[in-house]
Each structure stands twice: as C-alpha cells, then as structure tokens.
Amino acid sequence: MRFAPPLQRATLIRRYKRFLADVKTDAGEPLTVHCPNTGAMTGCADPGSVAWYSTSGNPRRKYPHTLEIVGDRHGHLIGINSARANTLVVEALAAGIVPNFPANARVQREVTVPGCQGRLDLRVDDVFVEVKSVTLKLADSGAFPDAVSARATRHLDTLARLARSGQRSALVFCVQHTGINAVRSADAIDPDYGRALRRAVADGVLVVAVRCRVTPLEIVPVGIVPVHLARIPSPPACGLPVRPIMPGSAL
C-alpha cells in the first residue's frame, strides 16, 4: 500500500477528542488533522513525536488531512490508521503470506453473518474473518486491545459461535508497528477480551498475526509473527511460560 500523494512530515502536538490531532508542519504551520483511531493510542501519541499525514482531494472534508504514521521514542514507526488494516490483510492474502489461505482466494468485504447481528470484516472463500489493528507494544510483544472493547469481544464470540457450528472462521491481527515481533491479548487492559480469545481458539478459530513494514512511503505486509495465548499478569511475571501459536500452524 503506497501513499499517493506522498505523506507530509510534521511534529505531533497533541491528540484529543478521540478523532482529532494537532501537528506542526516542517514549515512551522499549525494544523488540525483527522485521527482515524478509536483506541487509546498508548505509546503512539506522545507530544513531540515525529508524525506523517496524508492529504485528501475531497473538498467536502472539514479536515482534509489525516494522521497516518507516528514515530515512538525508540525510533519505531507505527501506522495508526486502523481503517487501513483490512486492505493490508487483503494484500497479505493476495501475496500468499497468511497460512491456511490460498493466494487466489475470493475476498468479500463487510460481510453479514447468518443468525448474528452486525458484520465481520472479510469472507475469504468460505472463511469468515475479523481483522484487528495492533499498535500497542508492551515490553516483550504487541498487545490487543489498547482500551476496553466490548465490540471486539463480541466479534470474537461471533467467530467462536461460527467455529462451533462447523463454519470456518479466523481472527487476523494486523501489526502496524515496526518494533513488534509477537502478539498477545492485553489482559491487564481488557481481561474479558483475553478470556474470549482463549475460548475462541479452543473452539477452533484460527488466529494469525500479520506483520507490516511501515515507512513514510508505504505500508507493506511482510510476514507473520507468533500469537501468545497464555495470560500474562501486569506487571509481567519473570519466567512465566507462554503457549505460542507459531506462524503457519492450523488450529
């Protein structure tokens, strides 16, 4: 996924009112931009961070600029636009990166689920798929969610219900953070989600994490990383064993 037109660099001043951020351009101009992320953005919105924003050609937009990438204090780049996660996973599927899916699979977006309210992100051939963007880094790995999310838990319950009925279903974490090499549930933030994730895996839901390369020019899916299932308390206990879902393993 290449950025066209190219992103512009700025310095992040603050993120506020959930969907807004103030930045200062390299030319010193203050600018209010749209922030397309509903989460807490922990570690992704520190004042003074380097940031990049896109510009829309739509004249009807109140805020024509969109925050896309933020650099953290360790030099990692983070794609904070969670709306791009579905497209990145579709690209990963087409590239044959996601295990247990053929590269030529038929993909439908925003699909209804028989007998369930709401929709899931994708249907890949006969597999219902929900996509979640991972940007929170907690010491050893990435973690999801970064804020309590009853909606995300409902999505997991729907995937588990489908799996129990014999219908294939999958959860794909889209990692848009260059410093993340594994993913786990953020149990200290949302313990209900962690429990739902482990139940879903036990019921037969496939769980995969796709890692992306993030640069100001493009965000590209490049491979997969393990998903750790064991609950890790906060603060992490030294030497606590974890059970990983290794890349390519079927559940």
Side-chain angles (χ1 to χ4, degrees):
M1 185 191 69
R2 293 189 65 84
F3 292 108
L7 301 183
Q8 300 297 308
R9 197 175 74 167
T11 300
L12 181 64
I13 298 172
R14 61 170 181 154
R15 183 248 186 152
Y16 60 104
K17 292 184 178 178
R18 198 177 188 188
F19 294 112
L20 294 177
D22 288 339
V23 302
K24 181 180 287 187
T25 70
D26 279 0
E29 176 189 3
L31 201 64
T32 297
V33 301
H34 173 56
C35 182
N37 191 305
T38 61
M41 289 182 61
T42 304
C44 310
D46 295 335
S49 298
V50 63
W52 286 264
Y53 63 91
S54 60
T55 301
S56 170
N58 183 354
R60 297 183 178 181
R61 282 187 52 168
K62 181 178 180 180
Y63 299 101
H65 308 293
T66 300
L67 189 65
E68 298 282 356
I69 296 173
V70 175
D72 71 6
R73 65 181 183 273
H74 302 292
H76 299 303
L77 297 186
I78 309 158
I80 62 89
N81 189 340
S82 56
R84 296 194 182 276
N86 287 6
T87 297
L88 290 166
V89 169
V90 170
E91 288 185 4
L93 288 163
I97 290 172
V98 187
N100 300 295
F101 291 95
N104 61 349
R106 179 172 177 263
V107 178
Q108 299 171 267
R109 294 180 185 246
E110 294 295 322
V111 293
T112 56
V113 180
C116 297
Q117 292 183 343
R119 299 184 177 188
L120 293 177
D121 290 319
L122 305 171
R123 184 166 182 171
V124 184
D125 286 341
D126 65 336
V127 185
F128 286 95
V129 178
E130 181 65 16
V131 176
K132 297 300 180 188
S133 181
V134 179
T135 59
L136 173 63
K137 185 175 186 294
L138 294 179
D140 60 325
S141 62
F144 184 88
D146 69 350
V148 175
S149 178
R151 182 171 180 268
T153 299
R154 287 196 300 271
H155 287 153
L156 268 180
D157 290 341
T158 297
L159 294 173
R161 191 179 309 119
L162 288 167
R164 291 194 300 269
S165 71
Q167 170 68 57
R168 296 175 67 200
S169 61
L171 170 66
V172 180
F173 290 115
C174 182
V175 180
Q176 298 188 67
H177 190 307
T178 59
I180 290 177
N181 297 305
V183 175
R184 61 178 173 86
S185 59
D187 292 283
I189 296 172
D190 191 345
D192 288 342
Y193 185 86
R195 286 188 288 267
L197 176 62
R198 288 180 277 276
R199 286 196 305 266
V201 170
D203 286 335
V205 177
L206 174 68
V207 180
V208 180
V210 174
R211 185 185 184 190
C212 297
R213 180 176 67 245
V214 181
T215 76
L217 297 177
E218 61 185 5
I219 301 179
V220 181
V222 293
I224 54 174
V225 295
V227 177
H228 296 298
L229 289 180
R231 183 183 185 279
I232 300 179
S234 181
C238 180
L240 182 69
V242 295
R243 174 197 163 199
I245 302 174
M246 296 308 296
S249 63
L251 300 177

